[in-house]
Amino acid sequence: MSAFIHMVTFTLHAGKDNEEAEAFLRESKKLLAVIPGVQDFKVLRQVSAKNDHDYGFSMNFADRAAFEAYNVHPVHAKYVAEIWESKVSSFQETDLVEYE
């Protein structure tokens, strides 16, 4: 099986480059990066003029099963319900595997 890459780009209700946005990014990394199976968690700033989102998260998993376990992990579920849904105004997820 090949590695599984999960990415999401997003915009916050709070806007960008302010303390509320910075706090969201720090808290997200603190909570999500330590969930079992997450590898190489990155917080990213969007720089393309072709994308309306301001930020991104990227993380790798050993395989799709590891991602699925992350997706239903209680910490992730609580994060989505209590933080993500109230702070994020729009987003786009992308999941990739290597073309073989």
Side-chain angles (χ1 to χ4, degrees):
M1 287 191 191
S2 61
F4 188 91
I5 302 166
H6 175 67
M7 297 184 301
V8 60
T9 60
F10 57 91
T11 299
L12 300 171
H13 290 294
K16 63 180 179 177
D17 300 330
N18 58 52
E19 183 51 40
E20 189 174 344
E22 296 300 316
F24 171 83
L25 298 173
R26 283 191 305 271
E27 181 74 2
S28 295
K29 184 173 184 176
K30 180 179 127 187
L31 292 171
L32 301 177
V34 298
I35 294 174
V38 174
Q39 302 170 357
D40 198 26
F41 185 96
K42 292 182 180 151
V43 176
L44 307 162
R45 177 180 302 282
Q46 177 59 255
V47 295
S48 172
K50 297 178 181 181
N51 188 316
D52 292 334
H53 294 136
D54 297 321
Y55 299 107
F57 295 152
S58 173
M59 60 196 87
N60 299 334
F61 296 88
D63 53 29
R64 185 172 190 96
F67 168 73
E68 295 298 341
Y70 158 85
N71 212 31
V72 298
H73 191 278
V75 171
H76 179 258
K78 183 176 179 180
Y79 167 83
V80 170
E82 295 181 5
I83 299 172
W84 180 267
E85 289 181 359
S86 66
K87 302 289 185 182
V88 174
S89 60
S90 68
F91 69 96
Q92 175 66 53
E93 289 189 27
T94 303
D95 295 320
L96 303 165
V97 295
E98 187 174 346
Y99 181 78
E100 297 178 13

